[in-house]
């Protein structure tokens, strides 16, 4: 099940955020001012097992998407992405950035109709100081064919 984040989710979301390679705690803390946070929950106890943070504007940018490692491959990321697309008005472009080597994520995005629009060399910096490339994807709501 997907629902909007609640203030009572703050600790669970912070824990989930720790699984990201490049977390932005200040962004998550202020999501209500900059966008929307959708939460995937364990239906047995309404506990967040993943979240998607969208920065709203002329377009919508998915700034963070994470699912707890124990709940991956259960459809939560797909459901979060579909919910984000579904809440966007026709003509809205939904964008996201992903590490070029993250093949599972890229496959998911492409299966939903996202298309690669830009390659950013050395975009992400790893803890060891090395940089990795990133790919920018876009989904044009109402133009990419059937909605998810």
């Amino acid at each position: 099940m997907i629902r909007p984040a609640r203030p009572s989710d703050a600790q669970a979301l912070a824990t989930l955020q720790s699984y990201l390679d490049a977390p932005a705690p200040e962004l998550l803390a202020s999501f209500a001012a900059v966008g929307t946070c959708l939460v995937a929950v364990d239906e047995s106890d309404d506990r967040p097992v993943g979240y998607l943070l969208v920065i709203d504007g002329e377009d919508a940018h998915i700034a963070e998407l994470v699912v707890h490692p124990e709940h991956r491959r259960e459809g939560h990321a797909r459901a979060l992405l579909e919910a984000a697309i579904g809440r966007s008005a026709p003509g809205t472009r939904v964008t996201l950035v992903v590490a070029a080597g993250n093949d599972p994520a890229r496959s998911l995005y492409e299966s939903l109709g996202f298309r690669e629009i830009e390659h950013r060399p050395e975009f992400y910096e790893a803890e060891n100081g090395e940089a990795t490339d990133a790919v920018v994807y876009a989904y044009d709501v109402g133009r990419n064919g059937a909605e998810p």
Side-chain angles (χ1 to χ4, degrees):
M1 180 176 93
I2 306 299
R3 64 165 171 76
R6 302 175 184 148
S8 60
D9 295 329
Q11 183 57 50
L13 298 182
T15 299
L16 287 166
Q17 190 180 52
S18 71
Y19 293 105
L20 292 171
D21 290 334
E26 65 285 351
L27 186 61
L28 183 60
S30 64
F31 76 82
V34 298
T36 303
C37 187
L38 300 175
V39 177
V41 297
D42 181 327
E43 293 186 30
S44 67
D45 62 6
D46 201 42
R47 179 178 46 90
V49 296
Y51 75 86
L52 177 143
L53 180 61
V54 179
I55 298 174
D56 296 320
E58 183 177 326
D59 293 329
H61 178 71
I62 298 172
E64 293 186 345
L65 170 61
V66 63
V67 174
H68 190 284
E70 293 177 5
H71 293 277
R72 292 183 181 157
R73 309 299 253 178
E74 296 176 359
H76 298 294
R78 178 177 294 277
L80 285 163
L81 287 162
E82 289 174 347
I85 292 167
R87 65 178 288 281
S88 300
T92 302
R93 174 171 274 191
V94 179
T95 61
L96 57 86
V97 181
V98 63
N102 189 342
D103 292 334
R106 293 183 66 185
S107 178
L108 171 62
Y109 304 145
E110 291 169 9
S111 76
L112 287 168
F114 281 83
R115 69 186 190 299
E116 183 177 334
I117 61 168
E118 184 182 345
H119 185 87
R120 295 183 179 170
E122 300 181 357
F123 183 76
Y124 291 115
E125 186 174 332
E127 289 180 16
N128 63 6
E130 293 184 26
T132 59
D133 295 354
V135 177
V136 180
Y137 279 91
Y139 184 100
D140 294 310
V141 178
R143 288 181 256 165
N144 276 28
E147 298 304 314

